[in-house]
């Protein structure tokens, strides 16, 4: 695959009556409108967005099944790759799950959020998968995808794990409603630069102020290609998923991959007690 169109959807953080239903409808409409062959990235909690009350959040869990069926149907009909995050019950456990659905409509991979903030722990969400080992990288149709969900982006342990596996595209369904926009942008840029990969981050608009929003697409050299800011809607960028940023191997040196330049200089034994 030489070119891949990445399409990131940012819905409103709707604070009115039944916000979860309103946002779910918005996301599915945009999904069905996506250009054929695109990679579509939706935000965290696609089935329960805009809710704060724990009982209401749990009441929205059953909608996950319907949204996953709809995402699968859209992917198959429009030949899409769809990254959709839902709060669901799977095998008896409450999980924060990101599904990557391929153009056949079949699920190619499921990533279970590893790092949980206190509110999700209190809600009863179970972190990671049943093996106790983080599974956050997969290969689909020649593209290596990696996954982080919202709170995961604060943890360098997972970013370094991903960097070691040399991804092409990092999918980041997010919420981060209380985080400053400058920090959100810095996190995405540094992640792309360190891993030498595209970052596709989908979140929700917080209307105004300097917090939240900022769904974006970032290149492997850390350049923000598209940033929707606080706007509601869709951003797009056509990329070569195999592109890697090359830099000099020190002043006057030859050109090397940025991630390999960093790996060459690692000295992990110096940082153990």
């Amino acid at each position: 695959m030489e070119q891949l169109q990445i399409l990131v959807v940012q819905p409103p953080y709707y604070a009115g009556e039944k916000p979860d239903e309103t946002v779910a409808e918005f996301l599915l409409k945009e999904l069905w409108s996506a250009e054929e062959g695109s990679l579509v990235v939706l935000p965290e909690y696609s089935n329960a967005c805009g809710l704060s009350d724990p009982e209401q959040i749990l009441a929205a869990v059953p909608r996950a099944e319907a949204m996953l069926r709809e995402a699968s149907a859209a992917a198959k009909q429009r030949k899409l790759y769809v990254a959709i995050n839902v709060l669901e019950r799977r095998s008896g456990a409450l999980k924060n799950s990101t599904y990557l659905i391929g153009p056949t409509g079949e699920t190619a991979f499921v990533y279970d959020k590893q790092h949980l903030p206190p509110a999700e722990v209190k809600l009863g969400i179970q972190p990671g998968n049943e093996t106790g080992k983080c599974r956050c990288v997969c290969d689909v149709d020649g593209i290596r995808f990696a996954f982080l969900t919202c709170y995961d982006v604060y943890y360098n342990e997972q970013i370094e794990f991903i960097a070691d596996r040399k991804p092409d595209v990092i999918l980041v369904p997010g919420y981060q409603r209380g985080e400053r926009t400058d920090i959100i942008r810095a996190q995405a840029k540094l992640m792309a630069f360190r891993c030498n990969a595209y970052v596709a981050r989908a979140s929700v608009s917080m209307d105004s102020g300097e917090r939240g929003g900022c769904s974006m697409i970032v290149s492997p050299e850390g350049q923000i290609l598209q940033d929707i800011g606080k706007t509601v809607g869709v951003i797009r960028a056509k990329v070569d998923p195999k592109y890697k940023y090359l830099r000099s191997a020190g002043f006057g040196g030859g050109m090397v991959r940025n991630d390999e330049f960093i790996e060459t200089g690692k000295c992990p034994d110096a940082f153990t007690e």
Side-chain angles (χ1 to χ4, degrees):
M1 179 183 293
E2 293 184 359
Q3 292 288 311
L4 174 69
Q5 175 162 266
I6 301 176
L7 187 154
V8 176
V9 183
Q10 179 161 289
Y13 185 66
Y14 184 71
E17 185 177 358
K18 298 181 179 179
D20 51 327
E21 295 181 16
T22 300
V23 172
E25 182 180 348
F26 175 90
L27 293 174
L28 292 176
K29 180 181 178 181
E30 294 295 343
L31 180 57
W32 279 102
S33 300
E35 294 89 340
E36 187 170 306
S38 298
L39 163 64
V40 184
V41 186
L42 304 181
E44 189 179 30
Y45 279 31
S46 289
N47 60 318
C49 190
L51 300 173
S52 297
D53 179 74
E55 290 186 6
Q56 291 181 337
I57 293 173
L58 292 174
V61 168
R63 185 179 296 109
E65 292 185 15
M67 292 199 71
L68 290 171
R69 285 196 301 269
E70 193 85 0
S72 177
K76 184 175 183 179
Q77 184 168 318
R78 304 196 62 77
K79 307 303 179 187
L80 305 171
Y81 296 88
V82 178
I84 178 172
N85 177 280
V86 294
L87 180 64
E88 65 170 349
R89 288 198 184 276
R90 197 173 77 246
S91 301
L94 190 62
K95 307 292 285 188
N96 180 320
S97 311
T98 300
Y99 283 73
L100 179 60
I101 301 171
T104 64
E106 298 296 319
T107 296
F109 191 77
V110 182
Y111 166 64
D112 296 319
K113 185 175 180 179
Q114 184 65 46
H115 301 93
L116 303 180
E120 287 192 316
V121 173
K122 187 175 181 180
L123 196 62
I125 297 174
Q126 298 299 306
N129 62 64
E130 64 281 355
T131 68
K133 300 293 184 181
C134 184
R135 294 181 62 250
C136 57
V137 179
C138 71
D139 293 294
V140 180
D141 295 337
I143 300 175
R144 177 158 291 184
F145 292 95
F147 301 76
L148 297 105
T149 303
C150 199
Y151 195 52
D152 285 332
V153 302
Y154 293 92
Y155 292 89
N156 287 339
E157 58 187 357
Q158 186 164 348
I159 293 170
E160 286 297 317
F161 179 88
I162 288 171
D164 286 344
R165 283 148 185 82
K166 302 188 182 303
D168 300 313
V169 180
I170 303 175
L171 303 172
V172 188
Y175 224 4
Q176 285 185 284
R177 293 161 290 175
E179 188 55 271
R180 292 184 354 226
T181 56
D182 61 324
I183 291 177
I184 290 171
R185 291 183 175 111
Q187 287 174 328
K189 291 178 69 173
L190 288 170
M191 189 191 315
F193 181 79
R194 171 63 188 98
C195 297
N196 210 348
Y198 289 94
V199 169
R201 177 186 185 272
S203 190
V204 297
S205 172
M206 297 305 292
D207 298 326
S208 61
E210 289 303 315
R211 296 185 185 275
C214 297
S215 294
M216 69 185 78
I217 302 167
V218 187
S219 73
E221 59 260 59
Q223 177 185 4
I224 296 178
L225 302 178
Q226 295 288 337
D227 180 355
I228 200 169
K230 299 307 184 71
T231 304
V232 170
V234 178
I235 50 175
R236 298 169 174 83
K238 187 167 286 187
V239 307
D240 173 4
K242 290 298 182 179
Y243 167 75
K244 299 299 175 187
Y245 173 55
L246 301 180
R247 55 157 299 147
S248 64
F251 181 73
M255 302 302 287
V256 296
R257 285 175 48 140
N258 184 58
D259 53 314
E260 293 178 352
F261 174 76
I262 295 171
E263 288 162 12
T264 299
K266 280 185 173 180
C267 44
D269 293 344
F271 298 97
T272 57
E273 294 292 342

